[in-house]
Amino acid sequence: MVRTRTVWATAALLTATLAVAAAPAVAAPTTAPRAAAACPTGWGSLDKTSFAGTSRPLTNVRTGRHDCYDRFVIDVPGAASAALGYSVGYVDQLYQDGSGRPIAVGGGAVIEVRVNAPAYNPETGASTYPGRVAQPLPGVNLTGYSTFRDTRYAGSFEGVTQFGLGVRARLPFQVLVLPGHVVVDVAHTW
């Protein structure tokens, strides 16, 4: 009888030990960095195009950093979404429309961004965007960006304005059209 109690006591102790060992550990709160956000996938890296067009001139280009992607925004005030056309895709070399002049763009890969809107007032010919051909975009600072490396203005020819966007590598991107804006998001990873 003493032997049976010893066996049962040993079994109970072993079961309690195993239960404690199998229970998940709960860590104390820390000040560790936030976990990476779940990033969208499936954008792909093939060319994206819309053939719409507007005579409303573009006035500004800006960029933004997000958890999963870097954003490139072209402002075309007053243009309806349906009127904003674009062509966005990876190129081996950026060439200026009209002249065919090559424009150097830094980075591991180059995205050519064309917006079917002029960078000048069609009635007067006066420039509405302060960019200079082959130069970095005015007011754009890419310090601290995960994907973007360089931006270049390639000019505006026959109502189409062209930019070069240097990125870290050939990564997936998406193009969004909002009233008055063409948006290019380039993912940080595949």
Side-chain angles (χ1 to χ4, degrees):
M1 181 101 166
V2 173
R3 232 172 154 184
T4 306
R5 277 192 235 175
T6 305
V7 169
W8 284 110
T10 303
L13 185 57
L14 182 60
T15 302
T17 303
L18 289 174
V20 170
V26 178
T30 66
T31 57
R34 195 169 49 131
C39 295
T41 59
W43 291 348
S45 63
L46 297 178
D47 294 357
K48 293 157 180 69
T49 304
S50 167
F51 295 106
T54 183
S55 60
R56 298 245 185 207
L58 69 88
T59 58
N60 191 35
V61 176
R62 53 200 164 86
T63 59
R65 293 181 294 170
H66 297 268
D67 288 342
C68 299
Y69 54 87
D70 289 348
R71 176 167 276 183
F72 185 79
V73 181
I74 298 133
D75 296 328
V76 187
S81 297
L84 285 171
Y86 58 85
S87 176
V88 180
Y90 283 97
V91 295
D92 294 328
Q93 173 72 57
L94 179 66
Y95 293 99
Q96 181 184 20
D97 282 347
S99 72
R101 170 185 170 194
I103 297 175
V105 182
V110 177
I111 298 175
E112 179 180 35
V113 179
R114 294 166 171 263
V115 177
N116 299 341
Y120 52 85
N121 182 320
E123 294 176 15
T124 65
S127 178
T128 58
Y129 178 68
R132 300 186 67 196
V133 172
Q135 298 300 308
L137 302 182
V140 173
N141 179 353
L142 300 179
T143 302
Y145 280 71
S146 296
T147 299
F148 292 170
R149 297 293 182 259
D150 192 14
T151 59
R152 297 293 161 157
Y153 181 60
S156 191
F157 181 71
E158 296 182 348
V160 177
T161 305
Q162 183 183 21
F163 303 94
L165 180 58
V167 295
R168 180 173 46 80
R170 189 179 179 111
L171 294 162
F173 67 92
Q174 72 173 351
V175 180
L176 306 170
V177 177
L178 307 168
H181 310 286
V182 175
V183 178
V184 179
D185 293 332
V186 183
H188 294 166
T189 63
W190 275 95

